[in-house]
Every structure is written in C-alpha cells, then in structure tokens.
Amino acid sequence: MDAKTRALDPYEGCILTKGLGPIASQKQRLKLMTELPPVPDEAVRSAPQHIAVHHLMGVRRFHLPGQVVPLLGESVDLMIRSSYRERDPTRAETWARISGELTSVRGPLEAYGAVAGGPSGTGKTQCCVRTLMAYPQTILRDTFPGLVGPFRQVVWLSVEVPPGGKLDD
C-alpha cells in the first residue's frame, strides 16, 4: 500500500484490519471473484477421452459474477472492517466496552449482518462463499494486546443451515 492510499485508509492503525488486504473497488472485487478454467493446450486436446474428461471437470469452477456480487462484497467488507474498528484491542475503551463498563457512555458493541435472498438455485450461497474467500479465514498474530503468545484471529465463519431450519436436520 503506497503512502497516499495509506493516508486515505479509515482503518489505519487498527491492528485487526492488518492482514485483510487493501479495500477493493467494485471492479477489483469482480476480478477477484471471476474464475475462468484454463484453456486446454494441445496435449490436453489430443489426450485420450478418459484423461480429457478429467480436464473437462475444470469447467465446474467457471464463475462469472453477476452485478449484485460486488455490492454484497462491499457490504461484507464494510461489516468486517467497521466491526474491527469498534473492537480495536489497542484502545482501553474497547476493553471497557467488552467488560460492560462503558455501556452507558456509548452502548454495547454493535453487531452487523446482511441477508442474501432469492429463489432456490440462483447462486446465493455461491455468491456468499466467493465473497468470503476474498479474505483469509484466519490471521495468525505473533502478538496481541493483553495476551501472551500467538493469537489466531477468526475473520469469518460459514454455517450451513438445513432447509427446514431444524437442529435435527
């Protein structure tokens, strides 16, 4: 990140956002989420059918994101980074809010959420998964304020909910 971009970073100094990478534009987000299978070379094109069919399976990874994908990506990015700014462990206020000491001053820490809705099979899950894959799932920190030793920061989790929404399912 160059000095000009760093000067514009609203999260500069928040150790929790280090490791997430720079804030991506919608165009950069589309490029990150686009996946094209490799173009088969001559060796693959002339391979026996029982070998070629295995190369053909690469087409399953083909993905061209729709126009709504970068908007979801932007929403997720705002949720992650804003949440981390509120929970900056280098600030005493953060620890006071977590412990409940400052609830009367600024209220409890906020939680963010988003909803992707639409008919079955339209790519909601694929869109969410590809959005999350733009971030590391965890970041290993060698040091962390208030803790001894390394710390693993969980950036995101994914939970599959059964269609019925019942725990037994």
Side-chain angles (χ1 to χ4, degrees):
M1 185 183 301
D2 62 20
K4 181 180 178 184
T5 306
R6 194 172 13 264
L8 293 174
D9 184 358
Y11 309 102
E12 179 64 29
C14 178
I15 65 170
L16 294 174
T17 60
K18 287 180 179 28
L20 294 179
I23 300 170
S25 68
Q26 285 193 5
K27 187 175 181 178
Q28 292 166 326
R29 225 176 281 289
L30 277 172
K31 188 175 180 178
L32 276 172
M33 294 180 181
T34 299
E35 189 167 348
L36 304 174
V39 177
D41 60 16
E42 185 54 41
V44 172
R45 286 194 293 270
S46 61
Q49 182 179 357
H50 68 282
I51 302 291
V53 73
H54 287 271
H55 288 280
L56 182 61
M57 292 304 289
V59 171
R60 296 188 73 215
R61 291 190 307 269
F62 175 77
H63 182 77
L64 285 177
Q67 290 180 328
V68 73
V69 174
L71 297 175
L72 177 65
E74 186 174 49
S75 294
V76 168
D77 197 56
L78 285 166
M79 287 187 295
I80 289 172
R81 292 176 197 270
S82 295
S83 174
Y84 282 159
R85 181 174 41 203
E86 285 188 22
R87 290 161 174 79
D88 186 347
T90 61
R91 297 171 51 215
E93 178 185 329
T94 299
W95 295 105
R97 289 178 76 193
I98 289 172
S99 71
E101 294 173 35
L102 280 183
T103 56
S104 61
V105 178
R106 290 197 47 202
L109 291 168
E110 294 182 12
Y112 299 97
V115 174
S120 178
T122 57
K124 298 177 300 295
T125 300
Q126 192 64 227
C127 180
C128 291
V129 168
R130 288 180 180 274
T131 296
L132 292 174
M133 294 303 289
Y135 303 92
Q137 189 166 13
T138 63
I139 300 171
L140 183 60
R141 308 262 179 218
D142 294 331
T143 61
F144 197 80
L147 299 176
V148 176
F151 175 78
R152 185 168 301 276
Q153 174 185 337
V154 177
V155 177
W156 60 269
L157 293 172
S158 177
V159 178
E160 293 289 325
V161 177
K166 297 179 182 168
L167 186 58
D168 292 343
D169 295 341

